[in-house]
Amino acid sequence: MSSYHPKFAVVGHPNKGKSSIVASLSLDDSIQIGNTPGTTQVKRGFPLKVDGKIVYELFDTPGFQRARRVYAWLEEHGDVPANRRIDVVKQFVHEHRDNKKFRDEVELLDPIINGAGIIYVVDASKPYGAEYEIEMEILRWCGQPSMAILNLIGEEDYREEWSRALGQYFRLVRTYNPMTAGHKEHVDLLESIAQLNEAWTKPIKQAIEVLNKLYDLKVEQTVSTISDYMVKVLSFVHKQKIVGEEATPHEEKVAKERYRNKIIEYEEREQRDVEKIWQHNDVQKEEEQLNLDEVGLFSQESASIFGLSQKELILTGASAGAITGAGLDLLVAGSSLFLGTVIGGVVGGVGAMFGFDNLYELKVLGQSVGRRELTVGPMQNLNFPYVLLGRALYHASLMAKRSHAKREAVNLKEVSFTEGVISAEARKTLEKVHVKLRKGKELEKEELAEYTSTLQKSFLELLE
Amino acid sequence: MQQKTTQLSLKSYLDLHQLLNVYRGSHEENRLFALTQKNQKPLALLLAWLQKNLYRVTNQLESTKYLHYLTLFSSLFGFIVLFLGFLTGVALLSYSGSEPVNVIYLLLVMVGLPLLSMLLSLLSMLFGNIGAKVFAHLSPLYYLEKVVNLLPFAKNITFSSLPFSATLTKWIFLQRVQIFSFLFSLGLFLALILMIISKDIAFGWSTTLQVDAKSFQALLSTLSFPWRDFLPSAVPSLELVELSHYFRLGEHLDSKMIHNADKLGAWWQFLAMATLFYSLGLRLIFWIVAHYGFKRQLKKESLAIDGVSELIKEFKTPFISTQSHNDEEHLEIEETLREVDEHLGEKYEAILGWNFSDEQLLLIKDSLGVNSKNREVVGGKNSFLEDKKIIEQLKGEVLVYVKAWEPPTMDFMDFLEDVLANSSIKRVDIVPLGTAERNYKSNREEMEVWLRKLESIDSDKLGVVDV
Ligand SMILES: Nc1nc2c(ncn2[C@@H]2O[C@H](COP(=O)(O)OP(=O)(O)OP(=O)(O)O)[C@@H](O)[C@H]2O)c(=O)[nH]1
Ligand SMILES: [Mg+2]
């Protein structure tokens, strides 16, 4: 199992964002990150593996705590030619393995003396200080290929003075922000790392390919999760036995309540699945729960900004044949009024007439006494699918872009989203499927495939 | 006891269905499993995966019960049908001696009937459920279903209780219809051979229709085309056909016929070949077609089982992992903070700048207006010996400036310990400073980091001042 693969140790002063950078590069949100220096206490490897085979391995390490002492020891024992200085460092590590005083240094030097390249992290939003030179000297003694990363934790920017100093110790100095970095920045950084050592070029190239593939896979899985969810919710019918001939108001109320809860549950599950896909296993969310009562017919009247505007809705509906000539749609009951409203240009207040209560079917089924069923759904509201889709795509795009170094809650409040998620062109294709599901019809395989690929386009646009 | 399955079967279908209800495996497990397999075809992988994981189903396997009843039904029915065929053959060939056995009659039962039933099977195969409905009442399948429904264990083998579709059930039974028909014909054939061996049977032909011997022979010869060339004796000659034409009106047989009784027996070869080819041979082909249709449908439905397509995808998709495998022991963060003093002391014996340069200390002095006759640089690039000398000379009250934005390292804590250990020092005030650009004002977060760390030092001499 000791086949050759490049290793990199992310090292530096305490509290400079080493763990954040590792979290962002390893897409691992379980790493402890905190503003207490010494958060990371032992080194921890993050291998990029394909089918169990390691492509490269990244090490998160504790920060330097007693750099001066280590350096003094090295100087004292290191009267050797430069090419053998690494042996002195090795000797230091071996002699101090059980020495609590040097636990952090031993942990951080260990991967390096075992061949790891050095990624030295500094916070360039703070001024440079000469005390860093001791750490850099120690690293220089290790003689491994190395680069420096300028992380900007605070507001100020001292990158210029840092670059001048770091340039004397490191071949490559780059800025990388672990909090905002996405897939592209990740790949760019890897490309720089590949230049550090000729032997790394090939494996890193492979790593980039692998990460690109992983990214595409995640996009694909996300879209198919969302499309499955849409089909499930839009065709969902809640069934419930009732006692008498007709459903009592109480029975109706209970049935509606269950219907709503199920839909909310579907959404929660979909979001969890998407979070898992993007490897955010532990994300806190600030969001407004899906409120079916407020899914008005027109977005102006609804509390949700994900729905379509009145004009968009009419265009979408007409193009998909949802409004004109739709005999079965519940909307038909109000469609002459609906169109009349449009023609007459009387706009206000119509949405309220199509509130939640009037926009899904409530049926009593069954012939023989004692076997009657009350059914709620599928949702007939034309805007409903777009509200769901808007929420799902927006949530998914936030998850896709979110750095794994972030620990604060993600804000899903709708206000932070203003652009239309779905283009008019895409809507046409989507609406065909929505119409079918609303009528309780089964989808053909091809229809589902087209639906999914349309969603994929919208999703990719959101990711840009 | 597990047999090596290399092909989809009803068993694999039912087992897969049952297994996927309780276990799916993770992408990692499934992919790693796929990589260890020699045969990389999706179906082979699927079956191998099933074999490996089937033990996870702890309930009784549904397939065991189903196949038990299906086999029971098939063998029971097969036996009955074989017996019926034999009886029919014996009845048809019962030759009293007063009247020859009518070949036309035999042909209708041995060739005509099977051909009709094959045609109906073909319709069921081609037109699925619609065809089945239109011709339902003619189809053997229809009657088979009726019979099956009468069985005490019917619910175990009819589709309503099974996970697969009506179409697959149709193919299962279509296949069985072919086998039963084959067995029926086999019974007939055996009866024919047995009767031929044990009796002398005279065959004749008789019909109300206006058919002369010549055209009847032409028909028979056409029917014999498959074996005409290599078994000419099994094709009735014109002479034989003429000889064996009889009419019941005459009350007695033509004397010519009685004369040639030994020749009339020659019909049997033709009849045997006709049965062999038309009811047995063709049936076999139908069985193969039905089997193929069944396999195709089975494959289609096996792949449609919930979870199968995901599984196959996982076999084919590399498993990429980026995360660490060992869990991190999370650091318990100390929440208590050290108290902060708002004011500096009146007068300091010495001012130390931890990691500051002398120029920086001068600027700080100008800015904050705190002075002392002793100003020393500590930490930074100093050696320990240099720091030690400085500490030894200190006494009274000491002010230590630190960079607030740099977290306290153990190096600093060691230094502080040494300072506090010096008994001639009465007081040590630590002042975390912000950057010069911020006028040396530290912010709350930076301050808290220091306070949290210094909380761990238990000494009355120590103070932290925020300026
Ligand atoms: N705003 C911002 N904050 C950052 C950035 N990088 C790190 N931080 C914050 O800086 C603090 C320290 O980050 P860590 O990643 O734990 O630093 P570390 O170097 O691993 O620290 P130790 O393990 O204690 O040595 C955390 O509170 C982070 O949230 C950044 O790019 N931007
Ligand atoms: Mg850390």
Side-chain angles (χ1 to χ4, degrees):
Chain A
M1 277 295 289
S2 67
S3 69
Y4 174 79
H5 57 259
K7 298 177 206 130
F8 310 100
V10 178
V11 298
H13 221 63
N15 230 20
K16 299 301 174 188
K18 300 181 292 297
S19 297
S20 304
I21 285 171
V22 172
S24 136
L25 295 179
S26 64
L27 313 175
D28 190 331
D29 70 345
S30 75
I31 301 177
Q32 201 181 8
I33 289 169
N35 63 0
T36 303
T39 307
T40 308
Q41 295 168 292
V42 291
K43 66 169 184 295
R44 197 157 164 240
F46 297 81
L48 171 66
K49 281 198 203 171
V50 182
D51 293 335
K53 205 173 160 289
I54 301 177
V55 182
Y56 73 72
E57 188 166 11
L58 209 59
F59 287 91
D60 186 18
T61 65
F64 281 101
Q65 292 287 358
R66 292 186 166 99
R68 275 200 306 166
R69 275 176 210 274
V70 177
Y71 190 60
W73 192 96
L74 293 179
E75 290 243 280
E76 194 183 319
H77 296 76
D79 191 15
V80 294
N83 65 337
R84 288 191 39 222
R85 282 181 166 177
I86 179 79
D87 296 329
V88 183
V89 181
K90 279 182 185 171
Q91 195 190 337
F92 171 83
V93 172
H94 289 306
E95 283 184 21
H96 295 86
R97 255 193 213 290
D98 298 319
N99 188 336
K100 273 214 179 106
K101 225 175 170 177
F102 292 111
R103 189 200 63 193
D104 301 271
E105 277 76 13
V106 167
E107 287 287 325
L108 87 90
L109 288 172
D110 193 61
I112 300 176
I113 60 171
N114 284 305
I118 296 164
I119 298 175
Y120 185 66
V121 179
V122 299
D123 175 7
S125 70
K126 304 287 156 21
Y128 172 74
E131 67 273 20
Y132 283 86
E133 285 157 29
I134 308 258
E135 293 173 5
M136 295 193 276
E137 280 296 346
I138 296 172
L139 295 174
R140 186 144 72 176
W141 273 62
C142 297
Q144 285 296 102
S146 58
M147 72 177 288
I149 288 183
L150 304 173
N151 182 19
L152 290 169
I153 295 183
E155 309 286 307
E156 292 93 340
D157 189 344
Y158 294 90
R159 276 185 289 183
E160 218 178 296
E161 58 180 76
W162 274 103
S163 293
R164 257 180 275 130
L166 292 169
Q168 293 172 41
Y169 293 88
F170 302 98
R171 216 184 326 152
L172 204 64
V173 181
R174 276 204 49 151
T175 306
Y176 181 81
N177 189 331
M179 295 298 165
T180 58
H183 179 66
K184 195 186 164 296
E185 291 78 14
H186 186 172
V187 167
D188 285 349
L189 182 67
L190 284 178
E191 266 163 5
S192 325
I193 293 176
Q195 296 162 17
L196 291 181
N197 183 348
E198 215 171 309
W200 294 346
T201 317
K202 226 177 106 194
I204 297 286
K205 212 174 225 160
Q206 195 205 343
I208 291 172
E209 267 168 39
V210 166
L211 288 169
N212 282 334
K213 191 179 209 163
L214 183 65
Y215 187 80
D216 293 344
L217 210 67
K218 286 175 177 177
V219 169
E220 196 185 298
Q221 285 173 341
T222 303
V223 171
S224 103
T225 303
I226 295 178
S227 115
D228 286 353
Y229 153 74
M230 288 302 290
V231 171
K232 232 189 259 159
V233 173
L234 293 184
S235 55
F236 173 64
V237 177
H238 167 74
K239 289 186 185 147
Q240 186 178 319
K241 293 233 163 67
I242 57 168
V243 185
E245 291 273 307
E246 297 279 323
T248 63
H250 176 70
E251 280 170 334
E252 268 189 31
K253 201 178 145 232
V254 171
K256 283 182 208 167
E257 201 54 43
R258 298 218 173 121
Y259 175 80
R260 291 164 205 228
N261 289 344
K262 191 76 192 177
I263 285 180
I264 289 165
E265 187 190 315
Y266 277 142
E267 189 187 55
E268 281 167 0
R269 198 179 313 156
E270 179 269 332
Q271 293 198 351
R272 239 186 348 259
D273 288 347
V274 168
E275 284 154 20
K276 267 226 186 83
I277 290 171
W278 293 96
Q279 300 178 230
H280 292 293
N281 297 313
D282 209 16
V283 65
Q284 309 292 317
K285 288 179 280 186
E286 269 172 32
E287 62 182 331
E288 267 153 24
Q289 207 185 38
L290 183 62
N291 188 344
L292 288 138
D293 295 301
E294 286 173 4
V295 180
L297 186 57
F298 309 133
S299 62
Q300 285 97 322
E301 282 88 20
S302 77
S304 168
I305 56 140
F306 288 114
L308 303 183
S309 72
Q310 180 183 19
K311 199 173 133 221
E312 285 172 325
L313 230 124
I314 291 163
L315 287 175
T316 304
S319 69
I323 298 171
T324 47
L328 289 171
D329 253 351
L330 192 109
L331 250 173
V332 157
S335 85
S336 54
L337 174 69
F338 179 69
L339 289 172
T341 310
V342 176
I343 292 159
V346 187
V347 174
V350 178
M353 293 176 60
F354 296 93
F356 173 71
D357 274 2
N358 300 318
L359 280 164
Y360 62 99
E361 280 179 303
L362 197 65
K363 281 192 250 174
V364 178
L365 301 172
Q367 291 87 33
S368 54
V369 183
R371 284 193 56 232
R372 280 172 186 276
E373 256 182 346
L374 177 66
T375 70
V376 185
M379 172 62 92
Q380 297 299 310
N381 188 323
L382 279 183
N383 221 345
F384 181 60
Y386 299 98
V387 174
L388 290 187
L389 264 184
R391 287 171 64 99
L393 287 173
Y394 180 56
H395 166 262
S397 72
L398 286 189
M399 285 305 130
K401 290 182 200 160
R402 181 177 167 91
S403 161
H404 292 79
K406 289 211 169 161
R407 294 293 174 270
E408 74 268 18
V410 54
N411 185 359
L412 282 171
K413 296 252 171 72
E414 295 170 38
V415 279
S416 52
F417 185 72
T418 48
E419 288 290 293
V421 200
I422 302 157
S423 72
E425 197 54 43
R427 239 182 287 134
K428 252 186 223 169
T429 323
L430 299 179
E431 187 59 21
K432 270 189 261 168
V433 167
H434 295 162
V435 169
K436 261 195 132 172
L437 294 172
R438 255 200 297 275
K439 290 181 182 166
K441 288 189 189 156
E442 291 262 325
L443 287 184
E444 303 287 335
K445 240 189 184 156
E446 298 76 39
E447 288 174 314
L448 187 65
E450 198 191 359
Y451 189 77
T452 311
S453 77
T454 309
L455 283 189
Q456 175 143 354
K457 270 190 221 115
S458 305
F459 184 52
L460 287 175
E461 273 165 31
L462 271 181
L463 291 186
E464 270 162 21
Chain B
M1 237 203 46
Q2 283 183 356
Q3 82 215 52
K4 185 123 180 87
T5 339
T6 50
Q7 284 219 328
L8 286 173
S9 61
L10 280 172
K11 178 171 163 46
S12 71
Y13 179 98
L14 291 168
D15 290 348
L16 206 52
H17 183 268
Q18 207 177 353
L19 175 60
L20 283 171
N21 266 329
V22 295
Y23 174 79
R24 297 205 173 190
S26 66
H27 181 189
E28 183 173 16
E29 289 165 327
N30 296 336
R31 170 68 178 172
L32 289 183
F33 166 78
L35 287 177
T36 61
Q37 298 296 304
K38 239 187 262 151
N39 191 340
Q40 285 292 314
K41 290 200 186 105
L43 279 184
L45 288 173
L46 189 64
L47 288 167
W49 184 86
L50 174 65
Q51 289 265 303
K52 183 178 162 256
N53 292 300
L54 195 57
Y55 74 91
R56 297 176 197 271
V57 177
T58 44
N59 295 343
Q60 195 203 11
L61 286 178
E62 276 156 21
S63 63
T64 312
K65 198 168 78 177
Y66 174 77
L67 290 175
H68 167 73
Y69 284 115
L70 191 67
T71 313
L72 181 67
F73 158 75
S74 304
S75 38
L76 209 68
F77 232 71
F79 185 75
I80 292 172
V81 161
L82 180 70
F83 188 64
L84 275 181
F86 187 77
L87 279 187
T88 312
V90 171
L92 283 175
L93 291 164
S94 298
Y95 174 53
S96 62
S98 63
E99 197 181 298
V101 174
N102 192 347
V103 174
I104 293 187
Y105 209 63
L106 280 177
L107 279 179
L108 279 180
V109 176
M110 290 178 152
V111 178
L113 209 62
L115 285 181
L116 181 69
S117 119
M118 284 180 219
L119 181 71
L120 290 170
S121 281
L122 194 66
L123 288 175
S124 310
M125 288 176 188
L126 292 180
F127 300 110
N129 295 331
I130 309 162
K133 255 179 219 154
V134 175
F135 301 99
H137 297 279
L138 288 171
S139 168
L141 198 58
Y142 174 78
Y143 292 101
L144 189 63
E145 195 186 331
K146 292 262 167 239
V147 174
V148 167
N149 282 328
L150 294 177
L151 295 172
F153 53 81
K155 64 172 173 42
N156 292 311
I157 51 174
T158 48
F159 98 94
S160 56
S161 59
L162 292 165
F164 43 72
S165 73
T167 313
L168 185 57
T169 314
K170 179 191 87 179
W171 281 104
I172 294 170
F173 282 97
L174 260 176
Q175 224 186 339
R176 291 203 160 46
V177 165
Q178 311 313 315
I179 294 173
F180 296 151
S181 306
F182 181 86
L183 289 173
F184 183 82
S185 300
L186 187 66
L188 265 179
F189 183 73
L190 291 177
L192 178 70
I193 300 297
L194 199 77
M195 297 295 270
I196 299 269
I197 294 170
S198 62
K199 268 185 175 175
D200 63 320
I201 302 176
F203 294 96
W205 62 283
S206 176
T207 171
T208 322
L209 303 173
Q210 289 262 308
V211 181
D212 59 24
K214 209 165 167 178
S215 42
F216 187 52
Q217 196 274 335
L219 175 74
L220 296 178
S221 168
T222 313
L223 277 179
S224 318
F225 83 93
W227 61 88
R228 203 160 43 191
D229 293 334
F230 64 94
L231 205 67
S233 64
V235 186
S237 62
L238 186 58
E239 186 197 7
L240 178 66
V241 174
E242 274 174 347
L243 257 177
S244 43
H245 197 178
Y246 76 98
F247 302 93
R248 285 195 302 180
L249 262 183
E251 269 296 306
H252 64 275
L253 287 170
D254 201 320
S255 58
K256 246 197 328 191
M257 260 183 108
I258 300 166
H259 249 125
N260 293 296
D262 58 330
K263 282 186 188 156
L264 297 184
W267 277 101
W268 78 265
Q269 283 192 29
F270 167 75
L271 288 172
M273 284 312 289
T275 314
L276 217 54
F277 180 78
Y278 288 103
S279 16
L280 294 175
L282 272 190
R283 191 55 86 176
L284 221 52
I285 294 175
F286 261 74
W287 178 79
I288 292 169
V289 173
H291 183 71
Y292 171 76
F294 160 72
K295 284 280 175 196
R296 216 179 57 161
Q297 187 67 22
L298 180 71
K299 182 174 169 187
K300 198 169 135 196
E301 291 193 22
S302 293
L303 294 178
I305 298 175
D306 198 19
V308 165
S309 57
E310 286 86 349
L311 201 55
I312 290 178
K313 212 172 192 178
E314 287 177 357
F315 291 151
K316 291 286 154 201
T317 313
F319 178 74
I320 302 167
S321 80
T322 56
Q323 307 184 330
S324 186
H325 300 292
N326 45 336
D327 285 339
E328 186 178 19
E329 217 174 282
H330 276 211
L331 177 75
E332 290 297 328
I333 290 162
E334 190 65 56
E335 284 306 327
T336 45
L337 301 180
R338 200 178 179 91
E339 304 261 318
V340 192
D341 297 318
E342 297 291 327
H343 306 288
L344 290 171
E346 303 274 288
K347 187 170 165 279
Y348 288 104
E349 219 56 51
I351 292 180
L352 308 180
W354 176 259
N355 286 348
F356 283 105
S357 66
D358 202 41
E359 304 89 81
Q360 284 171 324
L361 286 178
L362 273 173
L363 288 173
I364 294 167
K365 184 204 80 181
D366 291 346
S367 179
L368 300 181
V370 185
N371 207 353
S372 165
K373 54 180 188 295
N374 243 335
R375 195 177 60 241
E376 300 283 0
V377 169
V378 286
K381 294 181 85 176
N382 280 10
S383 69
F384 286 105
L385 217 62
E386 288 165 324
D387 278 357
K388 211 173 184 142
K389 268 190 201 142
I390 293 168
I391 294 171
E392 275 165 10
Q393 288 157 15
L394 294 174
K395 55 182 192 298
E397 308 208 334
V398 177
L399 180 64
V400 186
Y401 288 133
V402 295
K403 297 176 176 175
W405 66 91
E406 294 292 2
T409 58
M410 290 316 289
D411 194 9
F412 175 76
M413 300 302 276
D414 291 346
F415 167 79
L416 190 59
E417 212 172 281
D418 290 346
V419 174
L420 292 171
N422 182 342
S423 52
S424 44
I425 296 174
K426 298 289 167 260
R427 175 150 191 95
V428 181
D429 277 341
I430 294 180
V431 183
L433 293 178
T435 58
E437 285 77 359
R438 282 194 252 149
N439 295 321
Y440 304 109
K441 288 220 163 42
S442 63
N443 67 31
R444 242 201 101 59
E445 280 170 38
E446 296 167 348
M447 199 64 193
E448 278 180 11
V449 169
W450 279 90
L451 293 173
R452 221 177 279 136
K453 190 78 188 178
L454 295 175
E455 169 65 15
S456 64
I457 291 185
D458 185 23
S459 165
D460 323 331
K461 289 202 244 175
L462 184 66
V464 183
V465 186
D466 194 2
V467 291

